[in-house]
Amino acid sequence: MLFNSIEYFYFFVVAYLFYWALAKKQLVFQNAFLLVSSYVFYGWWDYRFLGLIFISTVIDFFLAKQIYTIQESQIKKLLLSLSLCVNLGLLAFFKYYNFFIDSWVELLTSVGYEFNSITTLEIILPVGISFYTFQTLSYTIDVYYGRLKPSKSFINFATFVSLFPQLVAGPIERARNLLPQLEQPRTFSKSLLLQGLYLMLWGLFKKIVIADSLAPLTDKVFEDPSLYNGGTLLLGLLYFTFQIYCDFSGYSDIAIGTAKCFGFQFKTNFNFPYFAQNISDFWRRWHMSLSNWFRDYIFIPLGGSKVSTIKFIRNILVVFLVSGLWHGANWTYVFWGLTHALIYFITQYIKLPIHSSGFKNIVTTCFTFIAVMIAWVFFRSPTISFAFEYLTDLVMRFSIPQYPLKGLYYIFILLFFDFCFRTNPQHIFKGFSSFQKQLSIIVFIAFIWVHFSSSPKNFIYFQF
Amino acid sequence: MKSIIRYGFLVFAFFLSIEGAFKLKYYHDKEFYPSNLETPSEKYRAMWDDVSIKANTKSEDKQRLFLIGDSFLDAEEYGGKESYIPYFTQLTLKNDWELYNLSLAGTSINDHKKVMDQIEGQPNNIYVFSIKIHDVLKLTEVIGVNPVSSSMPSSKSFQSEVITLLSKSDLVYLLKDILHHFFMWWNHTPAPHTHLYKTLVHPSSDKLENLSTFLCDLNNKSGTLIVLVNYPYNFKYDVNELNNFKLYRHLSSISCSDLLLFQSPLIINEKESVDWRNVHPNSISMKKVFNFIQQEIEKNQ
């Protein structure tokens, strides 16, 4: 079920009413209702893959309990490995099997071997598998390291894994943040509800009005870049830069807003990323739940930054490579990750300052924005060579863009509101007078109504 | 007083936002969409030029199916992915017929007539001719009567200038759509004083006569002609009250020999359109209409 569909609207209203009607009953009823609702939400897309979530949930629930109770470190390690194998195994099979086979065959063919019998499989990628796999993994790892006590209630844990606002495209919530909230009764709060609804409205505006309007322009330019001059390619790239931001941050806002309506507080996932002053600042603002995951479960265990220079470079490369691969089973994503690593090393080398003020601030922000924008070419292109050709054409055939201006209007609207007025990523009308708030709501509703489509477009991050 | 001004301003801002949003949504950079540089009529003429020689070559052993119409036949460019073309392609492939797709969004009955005039009739030709009812009054242009000079005063009145101005507003279109829905629910007619209302309920007798002449002329062409008259697909019609529409009565009573003319409410009587504002058929109604036409073709083979 898509957040930008009419089905979700009905689902939300019904779930909301039942949920708060159950608030006076025992907590278990409320959580059980959330669990069933979440499975309905996911099953709406494809009920066959509910089994995968269930397997992942059952295995991690019981393994975490065992890890916590057993004292022998060897067995603990074995159980953790089992959890990692099952979760990553499922992810590897459904997401990367064909990619690995193709790459392997390509590699061996290039050195002279011939294959006749190896075939790829027609595997459907289960929506959200990368998200809930990382979520359950973090739980088991946290229990293993003693940072968290395992959940006593299977229903609570299953609800944590499958909670519908964040199930298919994040934010990747940590058990440390979400499980305690599930174990306490939620109390209705009008201000939280309003905050949630405002955030959902803003998320829908970003997705339906901006991202979905920029998408056809981007698609057209990336369909055949050879038709356009460099200026137009630059515009196409600029449009994609804002399309992906509005698409994904829009999803996160709706997810966080929905969670607020149900009495939960999710962590912020986007914090004005295109205002970042260097690449590490960008990753502290973009898809924060994923960057924090990589920081806590890969970068720091590898030694973090308190190691020799060589090891530090290795750690950075590993994190960005894994980040790229997490996004998709294609070398373009890997290259996108590497590009970010490269930008990181360059900014470290030239010691790009952060939190500087005035003109310097503008320069560093622009530099980071352009670097991030260039990296998006690899993310959006079907192949690496396509991306290089795109960038070469952009530079070599640069002239004033022939067209199209339409997307610039949408970007202007976003910048006008997001960067001129909004100050808090989760509390969007903070500091607004009641008139400004009403006016903004009215404008959002009008734009969403006009741009709403009865056949909603998927979110880009669903494919990850 | 203060709150009246405040809420008045908010209402004004709401309507202004709707207008702005529509303007932005339907803003097309002509250069970015090169197809916009040519008018649909020009494109349609080019479409016909591409196939005209082949279409007019005499062939006695091969059936030919001509699809002639506008976005109601091929709505891919018009707010949806719906199109009859895949259905008819399947049909022609199955029967080993030739398909001539002469349907294009944005074209009018005048364009279609010009092409129909140039198709040389042959006994093994099948023409599926789609007309939308909004077009019916425009047909006079082809017959030779200038609709502007006949229906409007020659000097532009203040009223006509206001209408021209309002017709540029998307908000006015939206309000008109809402009124249509309201009146269809209330008394089963579109909103009074609109083009749709005049076409359906009070079309002039001259224009209806022209339509009959046009359709009968078409029917005289050698081959099988199937005329599909499309009403807006976002209304549910009361079939028993369709006789209140003068256009419906007239179309039902056209008495050319063996004219196969079908009116969409009698095939589809559900609101099966792309959405509540878009009057084009969705894939469900297309499937139903296609099945219906297929049966008619088989009956007449």
Side-chain angles (χ1 to χ4, degrees), chain A residues 189-249:
Chain A
S189 150
K190 192 184 163 192
S191 73
L192 204 58
L193 169 69
L194 286 177
Q195 266 186 43
L197 290 177
Y198 295 155
L199 205 52
M200 286 170 78
L201 191 68
W202 175 234
L204 285 171
F205 179 83
K206 279 198 279 188
K207 166 64 182 161
I208 294 173
V209 178
I210 298 175
D212 289 352
S213 301
L214 293 176
L217 303 174
T218 305
D219 293 346
K220 209 165 170 61
V221 174
F222 274 85
E223 198 176 81
D224 190 357
S226 64
L227 295 175
Y228 307 106
N229 70 20
T232 309
L233 298 185
L234 181 65
L235 271 185
L237 184 53
L238 183 74
Y239 293 162
F240 180 68
T241 304
F242 281 95
Q243 181 203 341
I244 194 160
Y245 167 63
C246 289
D247 194 284
F248 192 23
S249 72

Side-chain angles (χ1 to χ4, degrees), chain A residues 42-43 45-53 124 126:
Chain A
Y42 191 85
W45 167 71
D46 194 332
Y47 63 88
R48 291 170 301 173
F49 292 112
L50 283 172
L52 284 182
I53 300 179
I124 303 171

